[in-house]
Amino acid sequence: MRRDLTALADGSFDLLVLGGGITGAGVALDAALRGLRVALIDKGDFASGTSSVSSKLVHGGLRYLEHGGIRLVYEALHERKFLLQNAPHLVQPLRFIIPFYDDVRVAPWKWRAGLVLYDLLAGAGNLHRSHPLDPAQLQREFPGLRAADLAGGAEYWDAQMEDARVCIEVLRTAAGQGACLANYIEAIAFEEMGEAPTSAARVIDHVAGTEFTIRATAVLNATGPWVDVVCRLAGDTSGPHLQPTKGVHLVAPDRGLSSAFLLLHPIDGRVFFVIPWLGKTLIGTTDTPALTPPDDLHVTDEEIDYLLDAHNHYFPPLERREVLGSFAGLRPLIQSRANEPSSQSREFKLFRSPSGMLTVAGGKYTTYRRMAEIVVDQVMRQLGRHRRCRTRDYPLDGAPRQPWEEFLEKAAKSIRERFTLAEHSVLHLLHRYGQRAADVASYVSQTPGGSAPVVTGEPDLCGEFAYQREHEMAIYPADFLLRRTRLGLFHTELLARGDAVISTPSAQ
């Protein structure tokens, strides 16, 4: 996956996708697999918006059942199955615990009924059946969990992903099918190209500062929280189409949890999660109306306190000074009349602007593949083409062609024999890059100091940066530290050091 601006400027494409988040990435892959000439650009880095700041879950959305979202949950649970199948190195099953308390908004019987329905909706794709847990079991396994008013609980299973890397993996797969991709390219104007049914986007390359034109028959606005901005740029005055909500997460040190927790905030009863992630603990998320533009998003002290209060109500206190980092994202939810942000629909909408540009708004990460299928179906009709979707059973770039556990054992042995790397480093590379791990190990071995950790105690290796620069289109320090790796989320001092971290053999 390389940044080829000549191909973008000189080519004529069937489809130009604006936005390199998971929605745009999914469309680019689906369209390329159907034989379309595809271009995709993003004004920032790939996955630099919502697609890298999610709760890292591939899930049906148990809480959506409370608001009647049965169809959405059904679809998401079935899409979960495809992601587990097509990206086993990046998506793994995750056990969840719901403790039942007598003093919370949702009664135990409602949780039990919801879990029965959740199991039924998952059908053959169910990972494990949910089952009840008595208070004694919970206390034995989680001695730090609040015991007061504990009336039992339940266990169920969903899945966890590395969201930014899933997005990049989808883009790599699309590039392998001929899609032409580039980050840091922003559309600044649209124009019609003569009488032919072809449009042109005038773009600027934020790396070199140059402008050029990309020509395509169809244009898709898949820019997430920036959908309304791009619609206005294309002359659409019918908006706004979005009613975004803000989600904040905290990253804390490992709290010793063997499972994720779904809990209710003691103040307002909203659902939040406490999740083991990358040897750390993820706490989130908020769900409040977005009051600032998407380019001016930051975490407030009040939001940190809100999440700490939620965590500390159930677990041994976590102090603010212990928080390693925080991040915020916008859910690009479609405009609705709902007054309660958590009840807003996670469905998506596809519509055409007066300019002819297609726009996709809303949706949730887990259902990106199905959303892309529907979008590309529409594009194919517009182009007069007839080819079926192939993404349901199509492995992503790093996915092995054999069962994951079998591949993991054989590949780990092979890489250890070829390269002088510690066992934990080999497993780290396999879980991040899948079947490309041996290629990355070669970069690590050939880079001076490449096998050293970027930060002591973390699995990320200095030599990975060379591979990410050459094959994953990483350009700026944030690309490496926030999306190709996640080090900048919990070692924020690395971002301040910027290029020095990326270019030196060891950043310790």
Side-chain angles (χ1 to χ4, degrees), residues 99-397:
F100 300 156
Y101 288 94
D102 294 329
D103 59 346
V104 295
R105 178 177 61 82
V106 180
W109 72 265
K110 288 186 178 180
W111 283 125
R112 295 188 188 101
L115 287 170
V116 169
L117 180 55
Y118 206 63
D119 288 339
L120 290 172
L121 291 173
N126 202 12
L127 298 172
H128 298 279
R129 287 190 64 180
S130 62
H131 64 83
L133 300 171
D134 62 49
Q137 287 176 282
L138 287 169
Q139 296 263 264
R140 283 195 301 271
E141 187 171 359
F142 307 102
L145 182 65
R146 182 170 72 95
D149 300 314
L150 182 63
E155 169 191 283
Y156 75 101
W157 288 75
D158 257 317
Q160 184 174 49
M161 65 173 166
E162 185 44 85
D163 54 359
R165 293 218 55 97
V166 169
C167 183
I168 291 165
E169 195 89 338
V170 174
L171 288 166
R172 278 188 55 92
T173 312
Q177 295 298 315
C180 188
L181 319 172
N183 49 2
Y184 296 103
I185 303 289
E186 181 177 5
I188 55 175
F190 297 98
E191 59 187 42
E192 295 295 326
M193 298 298 297
E195 297 184 5
T198 303
S199 299
R202 190 69 185 169
V203 304
I204 183 169
D205 173 15
H206 287 301
V207 176
T210 57
E211 294 185 16
F212 59 95
T213 298
I214 303 175
R215 294 169 176 80
T217 304
V219 177
L220 174 72
N221 174 11
T223 55
W226 291 268
V227 152
D228 285 324
V229 175
V230 175
C231 282
R232 289 193 294 270
L233 185 66
D236 181 357
T237 59
S238 63
H241 304 286
L242 296 184
Q243 191 174 354
T245 66
K246 183 181 180 184
V248 172
H249 293 80
L250 306 182
V251 184
D254 180 20
R255 304 292 283 174
L257 298 177
S258 59
S259 301
F261 276 76
L262 187 157
L263 301 154
L264 298 178
H265 198 289
I267 296 174
D268 56 21
R270 286 180 178 170
V271 168
F272 75 100
F273 298 105
V274 178
I275 303 170
W277 176 65
L278 298 182
K280 310 293 186 294
T281 301
L282 196 63
I283 304 168
T285 177
T286 63
D287 196 1
T288 57
L291 303 178
T292 58
D295 288 318
D296 188 30
L297 205 59
H298 62 279
V299 178
T300 67
D301 289 341
E302 292 77 13
E303 288 162 337
I304 293 174
D305 289 340
Y306 174 87
L307 291 174
L308 285 177
D309 288 344
H311 173 276
N312 295 347
H313 181 75
Y314 295 99
F315 298 103
L318 175 69
E319 297 184 20
R320 179 187 279 260
R321 61 179 176 79
E322 297 178 85
V323 174
L324 302 175
S326 61
F327 56 88
L330 291 181
R331 303 173 187 87
L333 305 182
I334 56 178
Q335 186 77 248
S336 75
R337 295 181 180 178
N339 293 320
E340 172 56 45
S342 297
S343 69
Q344 280 183 250
S345 174
R346 268 55 177 175
E347 302 282 357
F348 79 100
K349 180 172 69 172
L350 178 64
F351 60 92
R352 187 185 303 279
S353 297
S355 64
M357 179 179 71
L358 283 172
T359 292
V360 56
K364 63 192 297 283
Y365 201 122
T366 302
T367 59
Y368 86 88
R369 190 213 63 82
R370 177 59 179 154
M371 290 165 55
E373 180 179 353
I374 293 170
V375 171
V376 179
D377 283 346
Q378 175 62 35
V379 172
M380 296 295 281
R381 285 192 292 270
Q382 180 177 328
L383 298 176
R385 307 279 188 89
H386 303 281
R387 289 189 181 178
R388 65 177 181 84
C389 175
R390 296 172 54 197
T391 55
R392 180 174 295 195
D393 301 311
Y394 198 88
L396 297 186
D397 188 54

